[in-house]
Amino acid sequence: MLIILSGCSGAGKSTLIRGLLKKHDNIKFMKTCTTRSRREGESDESYVFVTKDEFDEKLKNGEIFEYEEIHKNFYGTLNSSLEKVIEGKSHYIKDVGVLGVLSLKKALKNKAKIVTIFLTVPKDELIKRLKERHEPDIDLRLSRMEFELSYIKNYDYVINNVNYEKTLAKIEKIIAKE
């Protein structure tokens, strides 16, 4: 099964994924390939960090299944990661942009179980979180919010993430149910 978390920048996707991975040995993290720079304290466990030229080379070589430009950076799902999901030996969790979800649902249809969860957060809380993580361009991140929210209808579940513990528990219930 592939569990996908999406939501606006600052919605808590990475924090919740880390929490789920700490509590559940049967869930593995599916890395995203990105041209984004590392944030302070971020390791190679979070992403496959590449240059724009390296990303373009992977695209040219057919190594990237789907990708999206978000906040002036590219993010993509590697074909090798999808193969692991289809093998079905483990459950995987991934943070994916709203356009990537559509591609992944189509690609994995009849090949693997996919569960999609969109995280919402009140705008004032989102701004607070972005400031706390010292996000340099909050306006850029907020400008994408309306676009992302327009894709909510494509998700199996929508959770308002205002409380970490409650949201984590809701996600765990969804995973157990699915």
Side-chain angles (χ1 to χ4, degrees), residues 80 82-90 92 111-112:
S80 57
L82 285 184
E83 291 166 10
K84 290 178 182 176
V85 171
I86 292 169
E87 285 174 10
K89 293 180 183 173
S90 294
Y92 288 88
K111 294 180 184 172

Side-chain angles (χ1 to χ4, degrees), residues 128-171:
K128 177 183 161 213
R129 291 178 187 183
L130 292 171
K131 285 180 179 178
E132 285 174 355
R133 75 177 195 200
H134 308 291
E135 194 59 57
D137 197 346
I138 292 173
D139 289 337
L140 175 66
R141 306 221 172 242
L142 292 176
S143 69
R144 186 172 164 88
M145 187 176 183
E146 190 174 319
F147 167 76
E148 290 169 324
L149 290 171
S150 73
Y151 281 82
I152 281 182
K153 65 186 177 294
N154 298 311
Y155 287 79
D156 301 317
Y157 301 92
V158 177
I159 300 173
N160 189 19
N161 181 25
V162 291
N163 179 287
Y164 169 80
E165 293 299 332
K166 288 180 181 178
T167 301
L168 188 66
K170 286 178 186 178
I171 294 171

Side-chain angles (χ1 to χ4, degrees), residues 26-42:
N26 62 331
I27 300 174
K28 298 188 183 309
F29 181 66
M30 182 190 288
K31 289 184 189 180
T32 295
C33 187
T34 185
T35 60
R36 176 175 73 67
S37 298
R38 278 182 182 83
R39 292 187 182 127
E40 188 176 321
E42 198 169 39

Side-chain angles (χ1 to χ4, degrees), residues 97-111:
V98 294
L99 298 178
V101 168
L102 299 174
S103 298
L104 288 167
K105 281 176 128 178
K106 186 176 179 180
L108 294 175
K109 186 177 181 178
N110 302 322
K111 294 180 184 172

